[in-house]
Amino acid sequence: MTDIFTRIKQDHDKARGLMQQIKDTTDRAEKKREELFEAFKLDLWAHHKIEEATFYSKLESKGEDDESLEAKNEHHMVNSMLEELDTMKKDTKEWGQKFHAMCELIEHHMDEEEEEFFDLGRKEFSKEEAEKLGERFDARKKVVVPALERVDG
């Protein structure tokens, strides 16, 4: 059984891979960028919503509001940047630079979660709670991601 920490880390690793693939494109590879960015945007949006509903809500129930609010704030900033990037032409230097800036924020956020928030969660959650949260995360992801693809696709 996969616990919440392993499940979130798997999503982070997927996001890191997609970010690198996008960074490896050139301004001339507009179609490739658009395809990769679309997958990245939908997956990251779903990750944020599900993570907030499972991991952060559980931290809040244990009295860890400050960490949860900080992380949600970072999600909001990233989502705003995603929306802005989504409306821009993907074949410009400006798009590439803005994408790189957003990636730095995302990397910082993921590192902080994996290093600090996971430690906090491991202190607050029993093994059983962490596994149940992992199951809940998976169940929601299986519902949300296909629904997003139908709406956007």
Side-chain angles (χ1 to χ4, degrees), residues 134-152:
E135 286 176 32
R136 193 172 307 144
F137 190 100
D138 278 338
R140 288 183 180 203
K141 192 95 185 219
K142 286 177 184 157
V143 170
V144 171
V145 172
L148 284 173
E149 289 168 350
R150 281 193 306 274
V151 168
D152 222 52

Side-chain angles (χ1 to χ4, degrees), residues 56 59-60 62-74 112 117 120:
Y56 295 144
L59 280 177
E60 288 170 9
K62 302 278 187 175
E64 299 296 346
D65 299 27
D66 290 344
E67 287 75 8
S68 178
L69 291 173
E70 175 188 347
K72 286 180 183 179
N73 222 8
E74 289 174 356
E112 188 172 56
F117 292 15
L120 184 61

Side-chain angles (χ1 to χ4, degrees), residues 9-119:
K9 177 76 165 81
Q10 290 168 343
D11 266 18
H12 287 179
D13 290 345
K14 181 179 179 184
R16 286 180 176 106
L18 281 169
M19 285 190 299
Q20 190 57 55
Q21 286 180 52
I22 295 167
K23 286 178 187 178
D24 289 344
T25 64
T26 64
D27 296 342
R28 294 190 328 235
E30 183 177 15
K31 185 146 182 67
K32 181 75 170 168
R33 268 188 184 173
E34 284 177 0
E35 290 170 6
L36 289 169
F37 182 73
E38 189 65 20
F40 175 72
K41 174 187 74 170
L42 292 175
D43 202 60
L44 195 61
W45 185 86
H47 172 82
H48 287 168
K49 294 298 178 195
I50 297 165
E51 186 178 59
E52 288 173 12
T54 56
F55 186 61
Y56 295 144
S57 66
K58 190 67 171 177
L59 280 177
E60 288 170 9
S61 76
K62 302 278 187 175
E64 299 296 346
D65 299 27
D66 290 344
E67 287 75 8
S68 178
L69 291 173
E70 175 188 347
K72 286 180 183 179
N73 222 8
E74 289 174 356
H75 283 181
H76 179 74
M77 291 183 332
V78 168
N79 288 341
S80 294
M81 293 179 85
L82 283 170
E83 288 176 24
E84 189 175 347
L85 284 162
D86 196 34
T87 64
M88 296 172 65
K89 288 187 59 66
K90 312 292 183 285
D91 62 350
T92 65
K93 278 190 189 255
E94 181 185 9
W95 190 92
Q97 289 174 342
K98 190 172 289 283
F99 182 78
H100 280 269
M102 182 188 66
C103 288
E104 288 179 14
L105 177 60
I106 293 169
E107 284 288 350
H108 164 78
H109 175 78
M110 291 188 300
D111 290 345
E112 188 172 56
E113 276 183 347
E114 292 170 12
E115 294 163 14
E116 297 172 26
F117 292 15
F118 283 12
D119 285 348

